[in-house]
């Protein structure tokens, strides 16, 4: 029986590079008949004000055409968040982390039920908290407090996610496993 799987991707989906961790999972499961909702990093409200910045234009385009059917059984979704999360007094604050997660929390994706949710990126843990899934898999690929642009509250959110969801944790290397 086909499973419904939600995958939080580190980048917009790219079939030409299916060896990126989350892309690889999506392709593997979809080709085995499972239904994949693939979530990309968000578009921000500010992107509507600066659509001429090339790197943000492609994200804005993904949002405006979302959901995008990538191939059979893989659908890409690009949520909207108000502002990015950064390690500064406002963008790293509790109110901004709340606003960041609100866009996903209000989306139809947070209302669906999944068999499996796979996540691997720090800020997407804020969204993962609102997912209804039987099994959570956290691909632990970075020590969040080691990044200067991640606010300390994001590290706290990671600990809360692990405590609340009790995910299967897949560490990408031995150092992270200990």
């Amino acid at each position: 029986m086909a499973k419904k799987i939600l995958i939080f991707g580190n980048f917009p989906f790219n079939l030409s590079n299916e060896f990126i961790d989350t892309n690889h999972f999506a392709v593997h499961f979809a080709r085995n008949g499972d239904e994949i909702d693939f979530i990309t990093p968000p578009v921000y409200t500010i992107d509507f004000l600066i659509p001429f910045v090339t790197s943000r234009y492609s994200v804005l385009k993904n949002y405006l055409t979302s959901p995008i059917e990538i191939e059979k059984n893989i659908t890409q979704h690009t949520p909207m968040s108000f502002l990015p999360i950064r390690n500064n007094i406002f963008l790293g604050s509790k109110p901004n982390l709340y606003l960041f997660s609100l866009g996903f929390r209000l989306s139809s994706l947070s209302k669906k039920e999944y068999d499996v949710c796979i996540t691997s990126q720090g800020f997407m843990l804020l969204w993962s908290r609102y997912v209804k899934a039987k099994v959570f898999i956290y691909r632990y690929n970075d020590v969040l407090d080691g990044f200067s642009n991640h606010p300390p509250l994001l590290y706290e959110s990671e600990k809360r996610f692990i405590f609340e969801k009790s995910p299967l944790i897949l560490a990408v290397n031995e150092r992270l496993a200990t």
Side-chain angles (χ1 to χ4, degrees):
M1 189 166 105
K3 291 181 178 58
K4 291 183 183 178
I5 301 175
L6 180 69
I7 298 176
F8 288 96
N10 296 334
F11 308 99
F13 197 86
N14 180 349
L15 268 175
S16 65
N17 190 354
E18 66 181 70
F19 299 104
I20 295 174
D21 55 7
T22 51
N23 290 9
H24 177 72
F25 292 143
V27 169
H28 173 76
F29 292 125
R31 290 182 181 162
N32 284 326
D34 296 320
E35 296 175 35
I36 309 301
D37 280 334
F38 188 90
I39 311 301
T40 71
V43 66
Y44 302 112
T45 52
I46 197 163
D47 291 331
F48 289 97
L49 303 174
I50 55 168
F52 50 84
V53 176
T54 306
S55 63
R56 298 310 299 168
Y57 174 76
S58 61
V59 176
L60 182 59
K61 182 179 167 189
N62 283 341
Y63 170 74
L64 293 172
T65 57
S66 188
I68 302 168
E69 186 174 336
I70 301 298
E71 68 173 30
K72 184 179 179 194
N73 297 339
I74 301 177
T75 304
Q76 174 179 283
H77 304 268
T78 302
M80 178 187 281
S81 289
F82 293 99
L83 295 169
I85 295 173
R86 299 290 183 267
N87 192 15
N88 74 34
I89 204 156
F90 176 71
L91 295 177
S93 67
K94 276 188 180 182
N96 190 49
L97 267 64
Y98 173 79
L99 286 175
F100 180 88
S101 63
L102 190 60
F104 182 82
R105 190 172 165 194
L106 295 175
S107 77
S108 62
L109 295 167
S110 71
K111 315 289 186 271
K112 291 175 76 173
E113 294 192 20
Y114 294 93
D115 295 299
V116 179
C117 173
I118 301 172
T119 189
S120 68
Q121 197 170 20
F123 69 84
M124 289 185 172
L125 293 174
L126 295 169
W127 294 341
S128 300
R129 292 182 60 214
Y130 301 107
V131 172
K132 296 173 188 142
K134 296 173 187 167
V135 175
F136 286 85
I137 299 172
Y138 179 30
R139 186 178 173 279
Y140 186 38
N141 58 351
D142 290 315
V143 177
L144 292 181
D145 62 350
F147 287 87
S148 61
N149 64 338
H150 284 155
L153 287 174
L154 196 55
Y155 178 65
E156 295 301 318
S157 177
E158 177 186 53
K159 289 194 295 191
R160 187 171 50 252
F161 171 79
I162 291 169
F163 178 76
E164 289 174 359
K165 299 294 186 181
S166 301
L168 169 64
I169 298 175
L170 303 175
V172 298
N173 62 45
E174 198 171 306
R175 180 177 166 253
L176 291 173
T178 57

